[in-house]
Amino acid sequence: MAISDFISSELEAGKASLPELGKMLKMQTEEKNRFLKKIIYAGIPVAAITLIELLIFGGRLREASIAYTILLLSLSYSIAVLKKD
């Protein structure tokens, strides 16, 4: 069953009005945005650590130590600046 069929059938039955439908769709959008933010906030540091570990594996210890220092400073800064949802 398509989403549009489900929405129109509820509207025809009088179970959901247009403002309520707007609220439901807005909540879904906000939940998706929160989920994407969590993925980004966790994914970027994980990707950075992975790349830095590859630098270590490749024998570039100086570059890896600089990258780890920058990562540590940026994570500390982001924790101090970002507000908790």
Side-chain angles (χ1 to χ4, degrees):
M1 182 193 295
I3 294 175
S4 60
D5 295 336
F6 178 72
I7 292 171
S8 64
S9 66
E10 278 197 351
L11 287 174
E12 289 172 3
K15 292 182 182 176
S17 65
L18 287 176
E20 290 175 1
L21 180 63
K23 287 180 185 176
M24 287 190 295
L25 292 175
K26 186 177 180 182
M27 283 187 353
Q28 291 175 353
T29 304
E30 289 175 358
E31 289 174 6
K32 288 178 186 176
N33 287 341
R34 277 187 267 155
F35 179 71
L36 289 174
K37 282 183 182 179
K38 288 180 182 179
I39 288 177
I40 290 172
Y41 291 156
I44 291 174
V46 168
I49 291 169
T50 303
L51 292 174
I52 295 169
E53 290 295 328
L54 287 173
L55 283 174
I56 292 172
F57 183 72
R60 299 179 155 261
L61 297 178
R62 180 178 169 86
E63 292 86 356
S65 63
I66 292 170
Y68 263 129
T69 303
I70 292 171
L71 179 64
L72 179 64
L73 291 173
S74 64
L75 287 175
S76 300
Y77 178 75
S78 68
I79 289 170
V81 171
L82 291 176
K83 294 180 181 179
K84 189 175 183 180
D85 290 340

